Amino acid sequence: MPATLPSQKRRIFDSPIKQNKTPPQRKRIPKWVDVDDEDERIGQRKRQNGSLKHAPQAHSTPPRKKARTSGPPLPSPAKAGIQEHRKQLPIAKGKDALVQEIRENDVTVLLGETGSGKTTQVPQYLLEAGFADSGMIGVTQPRKVAATELAARVSVEQGTPLGGLVGYGIRFDERSGPTTRVKYMTDGMLTRELLGDPLLSKYAVIIVDEAHERTLRTDLLLANLKRILRERNGKGNGKPQVNGKGKEREKERNPLKVVIMSATLDAEKFSQFFSNAKIIYVKGRQHPVKIFHAAQGQTDYVDAALRTFFQIHVDQPPGDVLIFLPGQEDIESLEKAIQLFAHQLPTGHDEVLTVPMYAALSGAQLHRTFAPTPRKTRKCILATNIAETSITIPGVRYVIDTGKVKEKRYLAGSTGGGFDTLLTRDINKSNAMQRAGRAGREGPGFCYRLYTEDAFLGMAASTEPEILRCSLAQAMLQLLCIGQDIQELDLMDMPDVDAISSALRTLFLLGALDSHRELTDLGRAMAALPLEPTHARAVLASKDLACTAEVLDIVSVLSANGALFLDATDKRAEIAEARRKFVHRAGDHLTILNTVRAYRAAGGADGENANGHVNGHDGEEEKVGRSARKEWARAHFVNERTLREASSIRDQLRLSCTRAGIDWRASCGEQEDPVLLSLAHGLAQNMALITPDGSFKQIMGQSVVKIHPSSSMADKKVPAIIYDELVYTNQIYARGVSSIQKSFFSSLGAFNRREA
Ligand code: CDP
Ligand code: MG
């Protein structure tokens, strides 16, 4: 165990010039370079309005005994104060004017700093002004956690139970009902609704929030909103659309209001897109954030974050710390390191409570982030960029920004062998500003950037729209189902032709399109399942192969966010031994199936009855079952959260199957081939054959791939494999790998179609 505290080790800010002047232990925090001009930019709007000077805030943070800053003391979270809090938000002053503008214009672009009250207040203003009388108010978010948290918050502000007046909808989880008037949802959910309701006629208002993030779904939504406006309001401009014929009668009856909300300064572009829509600016209430840059670049950002955290913890007054890291792996390793060192702190220091925060965590788990920090404790939130916008984490006063983010990027191969890559890369200026801003939500804060000021200045201004860097297959399938061709859509940015042809080819190989690029019945059936096309195809194939029960078990786990298997470098042997019983020799997919089955069996009986419901007739028995399953998962280093999430996904998929006329009870028992063959139908593009040197060569592409070390197939030499995805690090790895028989090829339509 390391004996010295990281904060006593070399500090980040020790630039080559300053290095030897002071012994490291004695250095206080600002070995960072101060950046006053930017400090100014972030802090300049600090309490522009005198009346906001001591604005009470209805946070759920308990008042702290000791004043945390030189600023105003933190207020108490009195419930009655919530209405007062609403009135004090910067946006409240402009409420009437804002409502008036939205009333007068079809499209309004609302630009405002984070914390001004856009996301929580605007829907309520519109609700209270009667906009929801003729339809719902839909608010889209790029992230699930934001949709659920915001719905919860706004329900509290409205004093109604969640899922009543205010609800949410995210994939595989819906909390809304007949009385719901304000619905927070992911942009993906709303684009999905277009399938059944191309005019989104249920909605009177659509608020596209965090539009600056320019997710693929947001872009598709914006293009469709433009069309819907024309059809429902009889206005707007842009190219004529293919569908919508015969819908003319629905015009005028139910006009739509669109509000585009964004936190950064790119409002112009949205305004231009919507025929120079009106832009409204709301001032924020951001406290000053003092920014420090590392004096020199850091090669190991996890270690740098660790040392910086302890410098803050040991030297600085109370206040929670939010650390931005690129992904789950870094979060887990830093969390472990922080816990390890925190235990070695001499007495007298506050406790350290670490809270991880990344998209793969379940809702309940993410909820911990928002819980009040216990007394004499410093909370340290380790987050990906999911904490960058949209949500408010109370208590945070220090931000450590590693300057890294994981970005998904699709590499479209001209031969159709494209793949998604998830690479850690540098953030852009807009990310950096947002991250720093998180420290100034409740009072003056501090942001430690683990990169130099020059690095900051050299960053790109903002993120490239996702539509320019992602696989388009699923999106194009959905568009085709509503009669839209992506190339004819009026998009803010047109995707690359290579990416479009790569997606067309994928859809063709999956049988979703025929050789005339027309949608097939199979394609329609695929789009009806809330799954990626590859998984949807596998489920549909399982119908003919009578193994839907097994395929749903596997696909549910693959659709869950979290990893199924926990990993700990120091326990590799122990883990391998624990899992030996259910690791399947055919590879990862059947290993998943075995795991799901073993977990279920661990709950007693079979864990489930024939209807798929967990045995619930005896409360006591059920409780015993639950704790047995939990214990089983722990003993086998299996992530129970993922299994629980998968189980709820599976319940949803069973409903979808029933609707689609697929018998989800159909099971092939212990047979392997039907299951693997079903999966292979979906993964036809993800197949590779062994080469003499033990690596694999794609069948429908040119890449040479290796099996990822985390796979149960790692180092195995089998003739042919299918895989879930390719990841590119220093070389191309296949992840989620199963061994298949070469004879499968002849039964796969894709191979016949390939020649077409
Ligand atoms: O969307 P915008 O960033 O403009 O602000 P918002 O999300 O509507 O939040 C406005 C304010 O409400 C925040 O600054 C917090 O003070 C408060 N809030 C909160 O305390 N808890 C939440 N879950 C959401 C908002
Ligand atoms: Mg917001």
Side-chain angles (χ1 to χ4, degrees):
M1 246 186 226
T4 37
L5 275 174
S7 63
Q8 294 166 331
K9 294 201 302 183
R10 184 177 54 83
R11 296 184 171 205
I12 318 303
F13 332 106
D14 297 344
S15 71
I17 317 146
K18 298 176 186 168
Q19 210 157 23
N20 300 318
K21 290 192 181 154
T22 334
Q25 277 92 329
R26 312 254 349 259
K27 288 193 171 179
R28 309 303 289 179
I29 259 215
K31 273 92 220 173
W32 303 84
V33 180
D34 297 18
V35 204
D36 283 325
D37 56 343
E38 196 193 349
D39 183 356
E40 206 33 21
R41 250 175 292 146
I42 289 193
Q44 66 191 350
R45 298 100 181 183
K46 162 194 164 195
R47 302 181 196 129
Q48 299 231 340
N49 181 327
S51 67
L52 291 176
K53 236 178 192 155
H54 297 284
Q57 297 175 43
H59 286 298
S60 46
T61 335
R64 304 210 175 202
K65 285 268 151 62
K66 256 205 287 183
R68 300 151 45 113
T69 70
S70 50
L74 290 178
S76 83
K79 243 191 171 168
I82 212 155
Q83 292 314 322
E84 194 48 37
H85 165 80
R86 288 189 63 195
K87 283 194 207 120
Q88 299 287 354
L89 284 169
I91 202 165
K93 273 199 302 158
K95 174 180 169 180
D96 295 338
L98 181 63
V99 169
Q100 190 58 26
E101 288 291 351
I102 295 174
R103 209 185 286 287
E104 283 168 13
N105 296 290
D106 283 353
V107 182
T108 313
V109 178
L110 181 62
L111 180 71
E113 287 162 43
T114 56
S116 50
K118 300 181 297 297
T119 312
T120 53
Q121 304 310 306
V122 176
Q124 298 186 77
Y125 294 166
L126 297 180
L127 176 72
E128 287 153 8
F131 281 76
D133 295 350
S134 58
M136 279 200 287
I137 299 174
V139 191
T140 69
Q141 295 293 322
R143 297 190 188 85
K144 290 201 289 193
V145 58
T148 54
E149 282 300 323
L150 286 160
R153 167 73 186 189
V154 175
S155 301
V156 171
E157 293 192 2
Q158 284 290 320
T160 56
L162 180 58
L165 185 66
V166 183
Y168 69 79
I170 60 178
R171 188 166 79 136
F172 302 127
D173 186 10
E174 172 91 32
R175 282 255 333 242
S176 69
T179 54
T180 302
R181 306 319 296 156
V182 175
K183 186 168 159 189
Y184 286 85
M185 60 197 137
T186 50
D187 44 13
M189 278 304 278
L190 193 59
T191 43
R192 242 199 124 65
E193 284 190 25
L194 286 167
L195 285 178
D197 180 9
L199 289 180
L200 297 178
S201 46
K202 276 197 291 203
Y203 297 92
V205 183
I206 303 275
I207 301 176
V208 183
D209 199 8
E210 311 289 2
H212 63 273
E213 291 200 24
R214 300 289 308 279
T215 63
L216 172 60
R217 309 286 159 193
T218 290
D219 274 15
L220 294 177
L221 189 61
L222 292 175
N224 271 286
L225 287 175
K226 199 162 167 175
R227 167 184 62 81
I228 294 171
L229 282 169
R230 199 162 40 238
E231 294 180 23
R232 275 175 53 176
N233 302 20
K235 285 185 224 151
N237 59 7
K239 287 182 263 170
Q241 298 293 314
V242 272
N243 69 333
K245 283 179 211 134
K247 305 270 186 188
E248 274 84 5
R249 245 140 281 130
E250 286 188 54
K251 269 188 211 170
E252 318 293 2
R253 227 180 36 193
N254 180 16
L256 177 72
K257 293 286 177 197
V258 172
V259 183
I260 313 286
M261 304 203 297
S262 163
T264 49
L265 296 161
D266 48 10
E268 271 307 314
K269 192 161 177 180
F270 295 111
S271 162
Q272 276 161 17
F273 183 69
F274 285 102
S275 331
N276 297 319
K278 184 99 179 217
I279 301 176
I280 298 175
Y281 179 74
V282 195
K283 283 186 179 140
R285 185 189 51 205
Q286 178 72 50
H287 301 274
V289 175
K290 185 102 186 143
I291 294 178
F292 304 102
H293 285 107
Q296 60 189 134
Q298 299 296 313
T299 42
D300 183 346
Y301 55 81
V302 173
D303 181 59
L306 176 71
R307 285 182 285 134
T308 307
F309 171 75
F310 279 98
Q311 268 186 258
I312 294 170
H313 187 57
V314 170
D315 294 349
Q316 299 295 310
D320 294 336
V321 180
L322 170 61
I323 308 182
F324 285 101
L325 290 145
Q328 180 177 349
E329 282 154 31
D330 288 329
I331 288 177
E332 285 171 351
S333 78
L334 181 57
E335 184 179 19
K336 258 187 233 147
I338 289 180
Q339 285 169 351
L340 185 73
F341 286 116
H343 282 125
Q344 300 171 14
L345 282 179
T347 43
H349 288 289
D350 280 357
E351 300 277 317
V352 174
L353 173 70
T354 55
V355 186
M357 191 178 186
Y358 46 85
L361 292 172
S362 70
Q365 194 67 20
L366 287 169
H367 227 79
R368 280 179 60 206
T369 317
F370 304 94
T373 309
R375 267 175 46 78
K376 295 207 69 63
T377 301
R378 192 189 302 266
K379 184 156 72 179
C380 173
I381 301 139
L382 303 114
T384 60
N385 66 341
I386 90 170
E388 204 175 280
T389 48
S390 324
I391 48 176
T392 300
I393 306 173
V396 171
R397 205 176 147 205
Y398 304 95
V399 164
I400 300 173
D401 177 10
T402 58
K404 300 286 176 191
V405 69
K406 257 196 186 156
E407 188 188 73
K408 207 170 187 177
R409 185 171 282 273
Y410 183 73
L411 297 182
S414 48
T415 53
F419 55 89
D420 271 321
T421 59
L422 191 59
L423 288 180
T424 298
R425 38 165 244 105
D426 292 340
I427 56 168
N428 57 53
K429 281 201 186 100
S430 152
N431 298 128
M433 304 284 282
Q434 292 282 348
R435 289 178 176 194
R438 297 283 115 185
R441 299 283 282 186
E442 298 183 321
F446 303 88
C447 174
Y448 299 87
R449 291 178 171 164
L450 303 179
Y451 43 90
T452 63
E453 188 181 3
D454 282 347
F456 171 74
L457 295 172
M459 283 174 180
S462 58
T463 320
E464 187 179 6
E466 199 182 28
I467 200 165
L468 302 181
R469 54 182 167 88
C470 272
S471 162
L472 301 169
Q474 186 176 17
M476 281 170 60
L477 178 61
Q478 284 190 6
L479 289 175
L480 285 163
C481 286
I482 48 174
Q484 292 179 355
D485 180 339
I486 198 164
Q487 283 168 298
E488 287 172 24
L489 213 56
D490 186 0
L491 288 160
M492 281 180 82
D493 284 285
M494 265 321 274
D496 186 76
V497 269
D498 272 354
I500 293 174
S501 31
S502 174
L504 284 172
R505 187 178 152 89
T506 298
L507 293 175
F508 172 70
L509 290 172
L510 289 172
L513 294 182
D514 64 18
S515 51
H516 306 290
R517 273 198 186 198
E518 296 290 334
L519 191 65
T520 61
D521 289 343
L522 187 60
R524 222 170 271 285
M526 280 162 61
L529 295 172
L531 290 169
E532 285 169 34
T534 49
H535 294 156
R537 182 69 188 90
V539 171
L540 292 169
S542 77
K543 182 182 175 190
D544 301 331
L545 294 162
C547 58
T548 306
E550 286 76 21
V551 170
L552 285 191
D553 274 344
I554 297 170
V555 165
S556 316
V557 170
L558 296 177
S559 303
N561 274 306
L564 179 58
F565 296 114
L566 300 170
D567 196 13
T569 348
D570 48 335
K571 289 192 184 146
R572 287 259 156 88
E574 201 182 320
I575 292 177
E577 179 53 28
R579 291 191 192 140
R580 210 162 41 87
K581 281 160 276 169
F582 53 84
V583 169
H584 197 288
R585 69 188 148 66
D588 298 327
H589 297 99
L590 293 174
T591 298
I592 291 176
L593 181 61
N594 281 347
T595 311
V596 173
R597 284 173 168 169
Y599 171 73
R600 223 180 277 158
D606 188 25
E608 291 189 2
N609 63 26
N611 294 322
H613 299 303
V614 173
N615 285 330
H617 46 86
D618 183 332
E620 202 42 49
E621 207 173 290
E622 159 62 3
K623 238 195 248 162
V624 172
R626 219 183 299 141
S627 76
R629 281 195 295 272
K630 198 180 188 125
E631 176 50 33
W632 181 90
R634 203 197 50 74
H636 294 86
F637 302 91
V638 167
N639 192 346
E640 206 211 354
R641 238 169 19 228
T642 304
L643 283 167
R644 271 190 274 119
E645 188 192 350
S647 144
S648 100
I649 291 176
R650 192 187 49 218
D651 290 347
Q652 303 267 337
L653 290 176
R654 284 174 173 173
L655 289 176
S656 306
C657 280
T658 305
R659 256 183 255 128
I662 301 171
D663 176 13
W664 53 257
R665 288 182 185 82
S667 160
C668 63
E670 295 306 313
Q671 292 180 68
E672 306 162 10
D673 281 0
V675 180
L676 290 174
L677 186 55
S678 299
L679 294 168
H681 272 88
L683 299 173
Q685 271 194 305
N686 297 359
M687 291 187 175
L689 296 173
I690 195 145
T691 63
D693 72 1
S695 54
F696 290 81
K697 174 137 195 306
Q698 284 183 312
I699 297 181
M700 295 203 196
Q702 305 302 320
S703 306
V704 172
V705 310
K706 281 194 126 175
I707 297 179
H708 196 271
S710 68
S711 168
S712 62
M713 295 298 290
D715 309 320
K716 298 247 170 69
K717 295 203 168 30
V718 292
I721 55 165
I722 46 172
Y723 51 84
D724 291 327
E725 58 179 356
L726 292 183
V727 289
Y728 179 81
T729 46
N730 48 351
Q731 55 179 323
I732 305 174
Y733 285 112
R735 262 213 305 227
V737 180
S738 285
S739 155
I740 54 159
Q741 300 180 29
K742 280 187 175 174
S743 63
F744 281 8
F745 299 156
S746 55
S747 17
L748 294 174
F751 283 82
N752 311 324
R753 250 174 260 125
R754 181 167 58 142
E755 316 305 335

